[in-house]
């Protein structure tokens, strides 16, 4: 399809958006570390060269705005995948169904979840009737996010 960088198709962009969220990023803050505390070095921490690292990575307003723009783009791509997500919810693999529920939770947390009865019906069905506990937990979390953050009405086309 013309217009996408690097000769990518629209489907490639959608798959990239899904890969961005699946297992690589979380909607909220990262979970706290579990396990033994890391070993503390006996010596003082190394001195940073002020010319090289004058500020922590990502602290400038340009970095923050670039990250916000990239996140908004990924959320938009995920939002455009809603019809495919609805289809993927019937996949026989539990991991796929749990990912679908997490995607709807991410959309809700971002304030972009669709106000569609079929989405609610799908998540309610997954949370109550799915055989896999991982899927039920993910669907419950998505429903909680939908209740907390609300939904967005679909625009007429």
């Amino acid at each position: 399809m013309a217009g996408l960088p690097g000769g990518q198709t629209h489907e490639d962009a959608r798959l990239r958006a899904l890969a961005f969220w699946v297992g690589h990023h979380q909607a909220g803050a990262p979970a706290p570390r579990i396990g033994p505390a890391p070993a503390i070095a006996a010596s003082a921490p190394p001195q940073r060269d002020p010319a090289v690292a004058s500020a922590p990575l990502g602290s400038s307003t340009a970095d923050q705005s670039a990250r916000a723009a990239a996140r908004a783009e990924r959320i938009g791509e995920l939002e455009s995948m809603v019809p495919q997500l609805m289809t993927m919810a019937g996949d026989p693999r539990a991991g796929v169904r749990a990912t679908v529920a997490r995607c709807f939770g991410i959309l809700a947390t971002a304030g972009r979840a669709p106000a569609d009865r079929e989405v609610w019906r799908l998540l309610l069905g997954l949370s109550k009737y799915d055989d896999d506990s991982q899927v039920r937990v993910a669907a419950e979390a998505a429903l909680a996010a939908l209740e907390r953050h609300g939904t967005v009405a679909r625009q007429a086309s």
Side-chain angles (χ1 to χ4, degrees):
M1 176 179 281
L4 290 176
Q8 292 181 348
T9 65
H10 212 349
E11 191 64 25
D12 291 338
R14 288 180 167 185
L15 292 174
R16 186 173 43 84
L18 185 60
F20 176 83
W21 290 110
V22 177
H24 300 292
H25 292 72
Q26 298 177 4
R33 185 179 186 288
I34 299 174
I40 299 172
S43 63
Q47 296 294 325
R48 295 184 351 182
D49 181 6
V52 175
S54 59
L57 182 63
S59 64
S60 73
T61 56
D63 289 343
Q64 291 173 354
S65 63
R67 287 175 56 105
R71 186 178 196 290
E73 179 184 355
R74 297 294 198 286
I75 292 288
E77 290 172 352
L78 191 59
E79 188 177 23
S80 69
M81 289 183 64
V82 167
Q84 288 85 356
L85 291 173
M86 298 287 287
T87 303
M88 291 168 57
D91 194 283
R93 295 171 292 182
V96 173
R97 294 190 310 272
T99 299
V100 167
R102 288 185 192 105
C103 287
F104 283 116
I106 289 167
L107 285 171
T109 303
R112 306 266 295 269
D116 188 352
R117 288 182 185 175
E118 293 302 317
V119 171
W120 284 89
R121 183 175 293 132
L122 177 129
L123 291 173
L124 287 166
L126 288 176
S127 70
K128 188 169 185 179
Y129 301 114
D130 200 276
D131 296 332
D132 192 277
S133 64
Q134 174 190 12
V135 176
R136 289 192 306 269
V137 168
E140 281 292 333
L143 285 168
L146 283 170
E147 290 170 351
R148 181 173 185 192
H149 300 285
T151 57
V152 178
R154 193 173 14 185
Q155 296 178 355
S157 49

